[in-house]
Amino acid sequence: MLNLKDSALLKSQCYIDGTWWDANSRFDVRNPANGQLLAEVADADPALTERAALAAQKAQKNWAAKPAAERSAILRRWYELLVSHQQDLACLMTAEQGKPLAESRAEVTYGASFVEWFAEEAKRMYGDTIPAPSADKRILVLKQPVGVVAAITPWNFPNAMITRKAAPALAAGCSIVVRPAELTPLSALALAELAERAGIPPGVFNVVTGTNAKAMGEVLTQHPAVDKFSFTGSTAVGKQLIAQCAGTVKRVSMELGGNAPFIVFDDADLDAAVKGAIASKYRNAGQTCVCANRFLIQEGIYDEFAERLVAAAKGLKVGHGLQEGVQIGPMIHAQAATRVEQLVQDALAQGAKRLTGGPLQDLGDNFYAPTVLTGVSNGMAIAEQEIFGPVAPLISFKDEAQALALANDTEMGLAAYCYSRDIGRIYRMGERLQFGMVGLNEGIISNVTAPFGGIKASGNGREGSKYGLDEYTEIKYLCLGGIDNA
Ligand code: SIN
């Protein structure tokens, strides 16, 4: 059915303590493009989730005690296995998530890049020495692993959002329990199979699959065996999970929702801006936290930008992700497509105009064509909520001050984009946009070398880059007294 070269990558049990575990019941995983049943996967209950947390606790100290070079070499083997199984991992991803195969291949490369990067960073978990305040003392700073990490990961990037957390955790000497979204567990389980082949010891990397998100989340956020909790998902759920972590005062990292403004000034290179807009907006059918959510276009080029964006959006091929040339796959489920259309209808009722796009029911209820709306204003729901779909709402602005005010007028602070050929303006906007990441004349900002993360209600913590390891380390200071200075 899936035509994998390595059929052992298709797993359907939880991976706990180096063993494949069944649960009392199973749940269906279906292809969002056609509803086809892909697998029946173990539906873990809280007891099985707890078993994973305890296995991670048991394994963590021995893993942390290994020399960094040894942890690094094992991670490097995992990276090589991810790269050599790219096609199979991509096929699994397209089957369960829907994104076009080329995007799935790119995500596998992106996901593997975190494993490669942190295999290197494991060797650079340097401490510090600090000049002491008195002659008889010496001050040393050690970096130590936080301990056991629990992670809840989303369906939109079923591979990379796991490796972006697991690779730095393992590099630092932590163990981890991952609870992937129930819509996309197969990519996570394939990662576990390759982790085992790479020689990651039992209990260090665990995957628990299941549909009872609330009960599993309670174990992972409240269990005393878990020291750190990391989440990628919506702000509403993130707030609840942070509250649940308070009881045991766990460290938390939160990659939450976005509402990215994409600002284009009159003096921008319009070809580059349209190219960036297409890349940012329609990646993964708009189901990306960092994708442009509101387009703020300066009055003088508003009509021309709209015309060019419509032409480019119309050129995108929508269909089943495994079909040749498809650039926009299905949305994750029919409710997601319906919600997007409701936001569009609400905007239309308030005077917006749809220039192209809308539901594509000929292909199925999950399909939604790349859409462009004009006449949108910041107060409309479509500009205030995270659309998470392939819709580009265009808002017009007069000058830099207004663009900045509109852009920052949101509780979110994940990503923003700005196009202009005025270097002074570009720099000012970069400094003044209240977001964790800003693309300046660039629509694709995610890569392993850069710190990914938001401010305000978009969360805290940074993933990837040299800062990514800090999320999984504690700083300990040793004060040596009684040093003889004679
Ligand atoms: C996300 O949507 O949460 C992550 C996207 C990315 O890493 O670019």
Side-chain angles (χ1 to χ4, degrees), residues 110 114 154 156-157 160-161 164 232 255-256 283 287-291 388 414 445-446 452:
Y110 181 44
F114 293 108
N156 61 342
F157 287 84
M161 296 305 100
R164 197 157 74 181
T232 297
E255 299 295 349
L256 306 179
R283 175 177 173 225
Q287 302 171 113
T288 304
C289 300
V290 289
C291 74
F388 237 59
L414 190 59
I445 55 174
S446 306
F452 188 103

